[in-house]
Amino acid sequence: MRDIIILVAVYLVAAVLAIVGILGLLKHHTPATKKPIQEKVSSEDMLYGWGKEEEEKRR
C-alpha cells in the first residue's frame, strides 16, 4: 500500500510540473511578428545571367 501512495505522489508531482510548464510556455508565447519587407526583389534579379549584357557594355 505504501508503494502505491509513493507512485501516485510521483505522478501527481509530474503532472503538476507539466501543467506549470505548459502554462508558462503559453503565457510567454508571443505570436510571430511579420518582418517588414525592406526591399522587393524582382524576378529578373533572380534569373541567372541577368544583367550580363549591361556588365559587358560597361567594360
Side-chain angles (χ1 to χ4, degrees), residues 7-21:
L7 186 64
V8 169
V10 168
Y11 278 115
L12 285 176
V13 169
V16 168
L17 288 176
I19 291 171
V20 169

Side-chain angles (χ1 to χ4, degrees), residues 8 13 17 22 26 32 34-35 37 39 50 56:
V8 169
V13 169
L17 288 176
I22 290 171
L26 291 176
K34 293 183 179 179
K35 294 181 182 178
I37 298 175
E39 177 181 312
W50 184 265
E56 290 174 359

